[in-house]
Amino acid sequence: MKQKVLFCIIVLFSAITSKAQNVTTMWPYIYPDFQEGTVYFKDQQSLKAPLNVHLVKSTLHYLENEKIKEATSGDIESVSIGRDQYYVYNNQLMHVLNGDNTGFLAELVEADFSALKENSGAYGSSSSVQATRKLSSMEIGGVSIVNHMELREKKDAGSLLPLTRKYFIVVAGKEYPATRKGIESQLAKDQQEAFNRFVKQNKIKWKQPESLVLLLDFLKNK
């Protein structure tokens, strides 16, 4: 069902203006508001509701009577939000950027709280301990505040969060981290030479999705 739902059409690279927004502690979501969408579950059930992707752990949130709830990622096959398609990997939502039912490139986006760890901790405590305490005491939209209307009123009051982006390639149900080491480690020794030759010939740039998508052909034919 996942393949059939996720790829009824080919997904193309596009600039989606609805996602051009600042992500903050009070609004740590990919979209500027909840969007109508459909969740497809592993038990063949589905849910139509206003949806958004929460970027603290890249999980799915939905509205029920203006209350924000979180769907259990392990129960989800795929998600459709507007024209965007999402695939679940390691209990996190990945946005499908390009591909079809034979393979696709996906992006995992998360809010980066690592800045909380940059300063050394007080009185000899580690910076990671201080970061954990600061994060647990911080108001985070969708976590400490779950009323949709209240959160919308406060969405501009939060601190700006930078984002981290990781890419994955999925072919025939197998996931590959879109890094040289991540792919090479899953190849047989007789395939690694061909892989490195392909990477060199195509001048793969590991941080550019438009370059990474070229790897789909190699992995489909390996």
Side-chain angles (χ1 to χ4, degrees), residues 101-160:
N101 61 343
T102 63
F104 59 89
L105 173 71
E107 179 184 55
L108 173 64
V109 183
E110 292 183 283
D112 184 7
F113 284 90
S114 63
L116 297 175
K117 301 179 182 181
E118 290 179 357
N119 298 320
S120 59
Y123 303 104
S125 62
S126 69
S127 58
S128 60
V129 170
Q130 290 293 315
T132 301
R133 290 173 180 169
K134 186 173 181 180
L135 182 58
S136 64
S137 64
M138 183 183 297
E139 275 197 318
I140 299 176
V143 178
S144 54
I145 300 176
V146 295
N147 180 278
H148 178 225
M149 296 306 295
E150 179 184 354
L151 190 58
R152 284 190 61 184
E153 292 174 358
K154 295 182 177 181
K155 68 183 297 185
D156 295 326
S159 301
L160 189 66

Side-chain angles (χ1 to χ4, degrees), residues 23-40:
V23 175
T24 70
T25 53
M26 291 305 295
W27 194 265
Y29 288 104
I30 195 72
Y31 300 99
D33 204 350
F34 282 71
Q35 310 283 322
E36 289 298 325
T38 305
V39 189
Y40 299 93

Side-chain angles (χ1 to χ4, degrees), residues 10-201:
I10 294 177
V11 182
L12 300 175
F13 287 114
S14 61
I16 302 171
T17 56
S18 64
K19 288 196 269 188
Q21 61 148 349
N22 289 329
V23 175
T24 70
T25 53
M26 291 305 295
W27 194 265
Y29 288 104
I30 195 72
Y31 300 99
D33 204 350
F34 282 71
Q35 310 283 322
E36 289 298 325
T38 305
V39 189
Y40 299 93
F41 295 101
K42 293 178 180 178
D43 63 3
Q44 310 300 310
Q45 300 296 311
S46 63
L47 169 69
K48 292 183 180 294
L51 308 174
N52 215 329
V53 181
H54 196 265
L55 295 178
V56 172
K57 294 182 179 179
S58 194
T59 53
L60 183 70
H61 284 194
Y62 65 97
L63 293 183
E64 186 176 282
N65 297 323
E66 287 301 307
K67 183 176 181 180
I68 299 171
K69 295 189 174 184
E70 181 174 312
T72 302
S73 297
D75 295 338
I76 298 172
E77 283 281 8
S78 62
V79 178
S80 175
I81 304 177
R83 297 175 61 186
D84 295 345
Q85 305 291 331
Y86 291 86
Y87 174 85
V88 177
Y89 173 63
N90 277 349
N91 291 324
Q92 293 180 298
L93 292 178
M94 298 193 300
H95 178 212
V96 178
L97 297 179
N98 188 296
D100 56 26
N101 61 343
T102 63
F104 59 89
L105 173 71
E107 179 184 55
L108 173 64
V109 183
E110 292 183 283
D112 184 7
F113 284 90
S114 63
L116 297 175
K117 301 179 182 181
E118 290 179 357
N119 298 320
S120 59
Y123 303 104
S125 62
S126 69
S127 58
S128 60
V129 170
Q130 290 293 315
T132 301
R133 290 173 180 169
K134 186 173 181 180
L135 182 58
S136 64
S137 64
M138 183 183 297
E139 275 197 318
I140 299 176
V143 178
S144 54
I145 300 176
V146 295
N147 180 278
H148 178 225
M149 296 306 295
E150 179 184 354
L151 190 58
R152 284 190 61 184
E153 292 174 358
K154 295 182 177 181
K155 68 183 297 185
D156 295 326
S159 301
L160 189 66
L161 289 171
L163 301 178
T164 62
R165 300 176 186 273
K166 297 179 182 178
Y167 298 97
F168 295 83
I169 294 173
V170 180
V171 174
K174 185 172 183 178
E175 293 93 356
Y176 300 84
T179 63
R180 182 190 288 271
K181 184 177 180 180
I183 295 175
E184 190 173 33
S185 65
Q186 297 191 54
L187 298 176
K189 287 187 177 180
D190 61 342
Q191 296 171 329
Q192 291 178 2
E193 184 177 344
F195 168 69
N196 287 315
R197 187 164 57 248
F198 182 92
V199 168
K200 184 177 181 179
Q201 289 174 346

